[in-house]
Amino acid sequence: MNYSAPSLSVEPPVSLSVEPPSPVTSADNEVPNIFDPESLTIRIAYKCNIRCKFCYQGADLDNKTALDEDRMLDMVREGREAGFVRLGISGGEAFLYAKSMAKIIKLAKRIGYESVSIVSNGFWGKSRQSTRNVLNLLTDAGFAPPEDMLSMSAGEYHQEWIELSNARNIIDAYYKQFGLPFTIDFEYSKDKEHLVAEFNEYLASQGIAEDTYKIRPRTIIAKLGRGKEIEEQTMETKPLEAFGICPSIGRFVVQPEGYVVPCCGFNRYIEGLSLGSIYDHSVSEIITNASTNLVNRYLTHVPLRDMHKELSKHFDLPSDYSVNCELCEVIFAKKEHVEHLRKVAGEMLNDGVPIPEA
């Protein structure tokens, strides 16, 4: 089947042409596999009905960039054939595409994915009836906790847009329907721990028992996307030496434009992080090509601090960072940075790891 990528309301990452014409191979003429993900994450769209000021993707209601439904379904099949056993679904706001999401879940459960996880802002919890409607939609699609999981973001920045009563309605209905505690992702910035206690107090005042929900604290409020506009300090900065090899590398995350990144995908605006487009390649082709992708090889084998130190000899770079993603964005955001790393690849990549030809 041929697919055409949907028209985009934002510019996709610019190709940095960092792929080598051919890799230098090991003695047996095989390139060692450095990319063997077990999970497929689909970010359906950048469209979101709220505008949290910390959003690393800069999602909003006017952004129409979204993945093609047929391509998503085929991608789920290809992912299972490639060995994926877990599926994640998010946005933007995934429930703005509830019918497509239900088709994806139904297919994934039918062909053998072990688990499906969904992240939402919980806008659909406005009333008890709308909450039941959504949970019934998920159940009919085969969604079955505890293997499968649904979570709602309800922390500091989401509360500016979503009423706490939405969380109350969702927790109550979820526990009644599945007999399991509901997961709340609760983000808060530096010195705002008290917001968690206030959230718990609100739920208690509404008759919500503590054992019907669990909170996952989210303290990473990075200066990425719309988060760059936050004036106050959201996190403590770390010394450069604290940044080693990124622990999030090795994922298969499909962004709404169709390009695949090997990490959480916080760095939507990095031009060189793409491993390929699902409109141009199959899932298995992207996995295979990732082993010779220069950026992916650096992220896999070289500490971020070492790349920063090398680039600092030739470029003016910031020195203060709080999380890996901020540092990664600075390193790979410019074509000249990647081109320089290409030149010094033989010196920086580990001994015995095939490197691109000059």
Side-chain angles (χ1 to χ4, degrees):
M1 181 180 295
N2 294 322
Y3 306 97
S4 58
S7 59
L8 306 179
S9 59
V10 296
E11 290 297 318
V14 178
S15 172
L16 298 185
S17 301
V18 296
E19 291 305 307
S22 61
V24 176
T25 57
S26 53
D28 58 1
N29 292 322
E30 292 185 359
V31 177
N33 181 24
I34 61 170
F35 191 65
D36 189 23
E38 294 184 349
S39 63
L40 167 65
T41 298
I42 299 175
R43 292 211 165 102
I44 295 179
Y46 288 129
K47 186 176 182 179
C48 186
N49 50 357
I50 62 177
R51 282 179 54 86
C52 296
K53 64 181 180 181
F54 86 121
C55 181
Y56 59 87
Q57 295 193 46
D60 59 44
L61 192 59
D62 295 328
N63 197 323
K64 309 302 182 185
T65 307
L67 288 165
D68 174 79
E69 180 183 283
D70 288 337
R71 185 64 187 105
M72 285 192 288
L73 293 171
D74 276 352
M75 187 166 50
V76 169
R77 296 185 186 94
E78 293 172 14
R80 187 69 193 94
E81 292 172 358
F84 293 162
V85 294
R86 297 185 299 275
L87 175 66
I89 304 173
S90 65
E93 172 50 47
F95 280 93
L96 294 176
Y97 301 82
K99 291 183 179 180
S100 293
M101 185 174 64
K103 292 179 182 179
I104 293 170
I105 295 170
K106 188 172 184 178
L107 172 62
K109 301 302 291 185
R110 179 172 62 81
I111 63 178
Y113 279 83
E114 296 175 3
S115 65
V116 175
S117 62
I118 312 166
V119 179
S120 174
N121 65 31
F123 78 93
W124 43 271
K126 187 70 174 178
S127 70
R128 296 186 186 276
Q129 184 60 54
S130 62
T131 304
R132 287 194 294 269
N133 289 345
V134 166
L135 295 184
N136 287 337
L137 174 75
L138 293 177
T139 300
D140 291 345
F143 180 86
E147 291 81 9
D148 304 323
M149 189 183 75
L150 170 65
S151 64
M152 171 187 174
S153 299
E156 176 181 354
Y157 300 106
H158 283 85
Q159 288 181 22
E160 297 177 4
W161 298 88
I162 303 293
E163 297 289 339
L164 292 180
S165 57
N166 286 41
R168 176 201 64 197
N169 292 340
I170 293 174
I171 292 169
D172 182 58
Y174 189 93
Y175 189 78
K176 289 178 178 177
Q177 185 146 337
F178 300 113
L180 293 167
F182 182 73
T183 299
I184 296 289
D185 291 322
F186 199 99
E187 83 282 351
Y188 60 89
S189 57
K190 183 175 175 287
D191 300 326
K192 298 288 184 67
E193 295 88 348
H194 64 277
L195 294 177
V196 178
E198 292 174 5
F199 181 75
N200 289 330
E201 290 170 4
Y202 166 78
L203 291 177
S205 72
Q206 299 295 304
I208 301 297
E210 291 183 1
D211 61 354
T212 62
Y213 68 97
K214 55 185 178 181
I215 291 181
R216 289 192 301 193
R218 301 297 194 193
T219 58
I220 296 179
I221 311 296
K223 293 300 180 74
L224 299 167
R226 207 154 43 233
K228 292 180 180 179
E229 302 173 9
I230 301 176
E231 295 182 359
E232 64 269 22
Q233 185 179 7
T234 57
M235 298 179 63
E236 296 286 354
T237 58
K238 299 177 183 178
L240 187 62
E241 290 302 320
F243 296 97
I245 292 176
C246 180
S248 298
I249 296 303
R251 307 186 186 190
F252 196 104
V253 179
V254 186
Q255 302 283 48
E257 295 95 339
Y259 66 88
V260 176
V261 293
C263 57
C264 320
F266 276 22
N267 302 92
R268 167 188 168 190
Y269 302 101
I270 286 187
E271 294 181 346
L273 209 55
S274 172
L275 299 180
S277 171
I278 51 91
Y279 293 112
D280 299 325
H281 305 282
S282 68
V283 169
S284 60
E285 287 173 341
I286 292 175
I287 291 174
T288 299
N289 294 340
S291 290
T292 55
N293 178 286
L294 181 65
V295 172
N296 192 43
R297 296 167 64 70
Y298 265 108
L299 288 170
T300 302
H301 295 291
V302 180
L304 291 168
R305 59 176 174 266
D306 291 352
M307 287 184 274
H308 186 279
K309 289 176 182 177
E310 172 61 33
L311 290 173
S312 295
K313 299 174 185 177
H314 307 274
F315 304 96
D316 184 19
L317 304 182
S319 57
D320 295 330
Y321 307 95
S322 297
V323 295
N324 286 330
C325 299
E326 294 174 354
L327 183 53
C328 181
E329 182 172 276
V330 167
I331 292 172
F332 295 111
K334 295 184 177 181
K335 180 176 181 178
E336 54 265 35
H337 293 177
V338 178
E339 289 303 322
H340 178 77
L341 290 176
R342 168 191 283 279
K343 293 178 182 178
V344 299
E347 302 170 18
M348 295 195 68
L349 290 174
N350 293 347
D351 291 340
V353 177
I355 61 175
E357 290 182 342

